[in-house]
């Protein structure tokens, strides 16, 4: 008897909670959809996107052939992934295409397996957002051998900074350049030099190394800037960044004049520790241009950031695939620009994540 | 006879001995380490995982595992902040706590009534709950809009940060609950020997379910403190908290076999982990070396207990 009551109770709870969850989900979706579509700052990419879209449309005034396209993404649960996937999805919807997004779960091996699955299923094209440029090569080679068109998305395929032979396109960014740009922001923020601290993402990730190396290369030009500490979070977490910053403050105190966090989420975490320690003059530089990051810049809490455009990147990548499949001429390498944001121009950037 | 004494000392004070040694070494290496500001800093840094670890200690004492707590902290944090944004702090916090309790109850039900292995149940629940957090947020960050919500994680009473006070209150409650109340002693009995407890007329399923409910509730509090402190929730908040909490619990001397353990020592275990992080950060040790060291320290502290087990 008790068992039956319990089961009834459980089922009700499940249904109720599902209802709550789905209603919560719906509200967020519309908010975010509006926000990410009103992006204004992406002139260059937007222009490229419209031309690409225009060519596709001109060629097919009366409905396109439907293709089977697979997008293997590194992971889905980082804040940045949502607008990126949405770019792909919106483009696919606009052109009436079938798009399947596969979650690589932040595991290079899973990404490779997903590519192999797509190759075995003989899909029309694969876009891959690798976790590691080199680790993904064997699976990409398999796709090339099986003559399934494949392209790199956001992160390059192969160790060299060029289009991997056999892939039909690359639409993405240059992480090293982004780190370098962040370094330039720091140079501007601290013309007289001083001590800085670095908060990094997950150790061993390629993006982490590139963002660090690019940054360090840029700040070399001012020998008065001294790196006091350099620590990594386990998972790009904001709370971890707060903790690391608290510890940096314990160790270095007022010697800290600048903070470089490898993304805005961690920069915001670091800023909390600085705020609580009453160190409001420390210049913080991030990467990403998250909504909160932009707000912090406008509020005068953060010095600057390197703006990300994941939504546009997704749209552009998808249109590149379509252009390729339809035999339309298109640039096979599109490097998404990363505008620098400071208080002077922050109001132009809405932030995508 | 002398061996006996040492065994007892290690058994009861292993984590404390280790703790003291570590603190001495770190204070010798840096003069920035041992001062009141840093001590408060470390305890506040331990408070969120500490809350989760109280729950882990209870479930492990009762003879089960709970791997879902990290995801629960994530989901409840997301729920608390989004509902607070829309309906105010009180409803946000209450509903988040209820969700934690409900997930705990479902865990308990599946483990005790459906008799599925607790590892499997909570592993599944971990994924389901994480998925719910992703669904709710659609993968985006939810930023807080209500100023008063931030107080929970950032406020101070006198010189003491509120998260520390929350931790101390719950540690006190559950230490008392486990050591001094009949229900607490029954939980030890259930975890120590299920058959005996059952034959003595103790309802095994009731006490085990109770531990899951408490675990879910405390995970929800951790989620609220976390998102309040950050004034934002990401759907992957709390990832890995279950392992940090279980690590702290084990370092604190709770036996994985059940029936043995102490809330207070688990918290010391969690603080120990944060002392290690804090010390490494202050000394600015290379992050790669930190991973190796942390692993060594976990193994070393647990080895103390294993030696004890072998002798017994």
């Amino acid at each position: 008897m008790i068992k039956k009551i319990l089961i009834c109770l459980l089922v009700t709870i499940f249904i109720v909670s599902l209802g709550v969850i789905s209603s919560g989900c719906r509200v967020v979706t519309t908010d975010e959809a509006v926000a990410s579509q009103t992006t204004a700052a992406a002139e260059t990419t937007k222009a490229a996107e419209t031309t690409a879209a225009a060519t596709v449309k001109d060629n097919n005034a009366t409905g396109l052939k439907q293709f089977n396209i697979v997008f293997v993404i590194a992971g889905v649960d980082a804040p940045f992934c949502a607008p990126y996937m949405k770019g792909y999805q919106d483009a696919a919807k606009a052109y009436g295409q079938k798009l399947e997004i596969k979650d690589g779960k932040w595991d290079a091996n899973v990404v490779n397996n997903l590519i192999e699955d797509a190759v075995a299923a003989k899909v029309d094209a694969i876009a891959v957002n690798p976790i590691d440029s080199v680790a993904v090569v064997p699976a990409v080679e398999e796709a090339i051998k099986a003559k399934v068109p494949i392209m790199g998305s956001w992160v390059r395929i192969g160790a060299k900074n060029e289009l991997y032979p056999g892939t039909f396109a690359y639409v993405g960014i240059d992480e090293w350049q982004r780190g370098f740009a962040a370094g330039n922001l720091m140079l501007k923020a601290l013309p007289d030099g001083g001590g800085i601290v670095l908060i990094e993402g997950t150790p061993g990730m390629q993006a982490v190394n590139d963002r660090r190396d690019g940054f360090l290369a840029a700040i070399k030009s001012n020998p008065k800037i001294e790196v006091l500490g350099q620590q990594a979070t386990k998972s790009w977490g904001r709370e971890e960044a707060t903790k690391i910053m608290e510890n940096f403050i314990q160790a270095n105190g007022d010697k800290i004049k600048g903070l470089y966090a490898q993304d805005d989420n961690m920069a915001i975490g670091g800023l909390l520790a600085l705020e609580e320690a009453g160190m409001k003059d420390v210049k913080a530089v991030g990467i990403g241009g998250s909504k909160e990051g932009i707000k912090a810049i406008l509020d005068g809490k953060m010095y600057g950031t390197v703006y990300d455009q994941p939504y546009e990147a997704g749209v552009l990548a998808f249109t590149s695939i379509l252009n390729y499949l339809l035999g339309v001429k298109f640039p096979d390498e599109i490097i998404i620009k990363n505008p620098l944001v400071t208080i002077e121009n922050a109001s132009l950037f809405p932030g995508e994540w | 006879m002398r061996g006996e004494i040492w065994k007892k000392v290690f058994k009861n004070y292993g984590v404390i001995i280790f703790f003291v040694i570590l603190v001495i070494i770190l204070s010798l290496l840096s003069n920035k380490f041992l001062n009141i500001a840093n001590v408060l800093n470390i305890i506040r840094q331990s408070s969120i995982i500490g809350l989760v670890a109280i729950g882990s200690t209870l479930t492990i004492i009762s003879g089960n595992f709970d791997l879902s707590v990290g995801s629960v902290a994530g989901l409840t944090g997301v729920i608390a902040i989004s509902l607070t944004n829309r309906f105010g702090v009180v409803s946000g916090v209450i509903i988040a706590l209820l969700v934690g309790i409900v997930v705990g109850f479902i865990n308990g039900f599946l483990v005790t009534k459906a008799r599925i292995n607790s590892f499997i149940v909570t592993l599944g629940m971990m994924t389901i709950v994480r998925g719910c957090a992703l669904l709710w947020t659609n993968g985006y960050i939810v930023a807080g809009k209500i100023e008063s919500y931030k107080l929970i994680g950032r406020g101070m009473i006198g010189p003491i940060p509120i998260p520390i006070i929350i931790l101390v209150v719950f540690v006190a409650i559950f230490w008392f609950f486990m050591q001094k109340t009949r229900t607490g002693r029954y939980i030890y009995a259930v975890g120590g020997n299920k058959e005996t407890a059952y034959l003595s007329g103790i309802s095994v399923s009731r006490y085990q379910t109770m531990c899951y409910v408490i675990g879910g509730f405390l995970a929800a509090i951790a989620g609220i403190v976390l998102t309040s402190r950050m004034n934002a929730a990401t759907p992957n908040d709390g990832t890995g908290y279950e392992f940090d909490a279980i690590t702290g619990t084990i370092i604190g001397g709770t036996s994985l076999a059940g029936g043995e353990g102490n809330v207070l020592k688990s918290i010391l275990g969690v603080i120990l982990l944060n002392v290690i992080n804090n010390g490494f950060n202050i000394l600015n040790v290379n992050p790669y070396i930190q991973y190796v060291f942390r692993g060594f320290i976990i193994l070393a502290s647990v080895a103390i207990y294993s030696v004890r087990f072998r002798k017994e």
Side-chain angles (χ1 to χ4, degrees), chain A residues 5 33 45 52 60 107 151 176 184 226 245 301 313 324:
Chain A
I5 296 171
T45 47
N60 284 274
D107 182 336
M151 67 170 278
W176 192 91
N184 279 329
E226 183 200 353
M245 195 67 221
K301 291 180 184 165
Y324 173 80

Side-chain angles (χ1 to χ4, degrees), chain A residues 6 10 13 25 28-29 77 79 82 228-231 234 238-239 242-243 246-247 250-251 272 276 292, chain B residues 32 38 41 44-45 102 105-106 109 135 137-138 154 229-230 232 236 241 278 281 284-285 290-291:
Chain A
L6 275 176
L10 264 181
I13 288 165
C25 162
V28 174
T29 322
D77 57 353
L228 297 172
Q230 184 180 342
Q231 293 292 326
K234 263 184 263 173
R238 184 183 299 194
E239 189 219 357
T242 308
K243 287 183 180 175
E246 284 166 352
N247 298 342
Q250 291 296 333
L272 171 64
E276 287 184 337
E292 288 169 284
Chain B
K32 306 280 170 49
N38 200 34
N41 181 29
R44 179 169 63 192
Q45 292 180 353
V102 167
F105 184 77
I106 298 172
F109 178 81
L135 271 175
T137 59
N138 218 4
R154 299 186 184 181
R229 183 149 176 71
M230 295 298 114
N236 57 1
Y241 280 15
N278 175 272
N281 283 180
N284 199 31
V285 178
Q290 287 186 27
Y291 273 75

Side-chain angles (χ1 to χ4, degrees), chain B residues 213-239:
Chain B
V213 170
I214 293 170
F217 171 77
L218 288 167
I221 295 194
I224 293 166
V225 173
L226 169 71
T227 52
S228 152
R229 183 149 176 71
M230 295 298 114
N231 195 31
T234 58
N236 57 1
D237 274 347
T239 307

Side-chain angles (χ1 to χ4, degrees), chain B:
Chain B
M1 198 55 208
R2 244 175 84 190
E4 286 291 303
I5 294 169
W6 277 115
K7 229 155 70 177
K8 224 172 173 175
V9 168
F10 269 135
K11 180 170 174 170
N12 292 326
Y13 306 110
V15 62
I16 300 170
I17 295 169
F18 208 83
F19 196 93
V20 171
I21 294 173
L22 196 73
V23 168
I24 292 174
I25 293 175
L26 285 173
S27 3
L28 289 176
L29 288 174
S30 166
N31 59 352
K32 306 280 170 49
F33 177 72
L34 202 60
N35 56 59
I36 290 177
N38 200 34
V39 169
L40 283 178
N41 181 29
I42 291 173
I43 300 176
R44 179 169 63 192
Q45 292 180 353
S46 315
S47 57
I48 293 166
I49 299 289
L51 286 165
V52 178
I54 299 174
S56 310
T57 311
L58 262 60
T59 20
I60 292 176
I61 289 174
S62 79
N64 288 320
F65 257 110
D66 191 350
L67 300 177
S68 69
V69 281
S71 298
V72 172
L75 175 66
T76 52
V78 164
I79 290 176
I81 207 159
S82 17
L83 293 184
T84 297
N85 281 347
R86 258 182 280 160
F87 308 113
V89 178
V90 178
S91 56
V93 168
I94 289 176
I95 293 176
L97 292 177
L98 281 178
V99 170
I101 289 171
V102 167
V103 175
F105 184 77
I106 298 172
N107 277 332
F109 178 81
L110 291 174
V111 170
T112 59
K113 297 290 181 191
R115 311 213 167 201
I116 310 171
N117 178 294
S118 70
F119 206 85
I120 309 293
V121 166
T122 56
L123 194 66
M125 196 54 87
M126 170 171 127
T127 317
I128 293 173
V129 173
R130 181 65 63 201
C132 291
L134 279 164
L135 271 175
W136 181 296
T137 59
N138 218 4
Y140 286 90
I141 296 177
V142 184
K145 293 178 187 143
I146 309 292
E147 281 298 311
S148 56
Y149 184 69
K150 288 200 260 180
L151 269 182
I152 307 169
R154 299 186 184 181
M156 308 273 256
I157 294 180
I160 314 283
I162 290 178
I164 295 185
I165 294 174
I166 296 178
L167 177 71
V168 169
V169 167
F170 281 107
V171 169
I173 291 174
F174 285 103
W175 180 82
F176 183 83
F177 174 73
M178 290 305 283
Q179 310 303 319
K180 305 289 175 194
T181 69
R182 184 179 295 176
T183 318
R185 303 318 296 177
Y186 282 172
I187 291 173
Y188 277 102
V190 165
N193 192 329
K194 218 164 143 179
E195 298 304 316
T196 320
Y198 180 75
L199 291 173
S200 331
I202 301 174
S203 165
V204 173
S205 57
R206 183 201 292 171
Y207 291 107
Q208 289 190 331
T209 307
M210 188 188 287
C211 289
Y212 276 113
V213 170
I214 293 170
F217 171 77
L218 288 167
I221 295 194
I224 293 166
V225 173
L226 169 71
T227 52
S228 152
R229 183 149 176 71
M230 295 298 114
N231 195 31
T234 58
N236 57 1
D237 274 347
T239 307
Y241 280 15
E242 59 280 350
F243 290 110
D244 289 347
I246 291 173
T247 309
T249 308
I250 293 169
I251 292 177
T254 298
S255 153
L256 286 181
E260 210 180 314
N262 184 318
V263 171
L264 210 57
K265 286 189 199 158
S266 300
I267 300 301
L268 267 186
V270 172
I271 296 177
L272 186 94
L273 285 173
N274 273 297
V275 165
I276 297 168
N277 280 341
N278 175 272
F280 281 162
N281 283 180
I282 284 182
L283 299 171
N284 199 31
V285 178
N286 175 323
Y288 304 156
I289 297 177
Q290 287 186 27
Y291 273 75
V292 179
F293 257 102
R294 220 176 297 156
F296 265 123
I297 289 173
I298 292 167
L299 281 179
S301 56
V302 175
I304 295 176
Y305 299 107
S306 311
V307 169
R308 178 190 100 208
F309 271 124
R310 210 169 43 229
K311 276 183 187 158
E312 277 167 10

Side-chain angles (χ1 to χ4, degrees), chain A residues 44-103:
Chain A
T44 28
T45 47
K46 272 282 198 281
E49 173 195 326
T50 36
T51 41
T55 22
V56 171
K57 273 195 181 136
D58 288 346
N59 273 277
N60 284 274
T62 54
L64 295 168
K65 181 178 176 230
Q66 212 192 33
F67 295 103
N68 245 341
I69 295 159
V70 166
F71 172 39
V72 180
I73 187 167
V76 296
D77 57 353
F80 149 91
C81 306
Y84 193 36
M85 287 192 288
K86 195 160 185 337
Y88 265 91
Q89 284 161 335
D90 283 359
K93 218 163 129 198
Y95 298 122
Q97 297 298 320
K98 191 164 170 260
L99 169 73
E100 276 181 72
I101 297 183
K102 307 283 189 193
D103 174 10

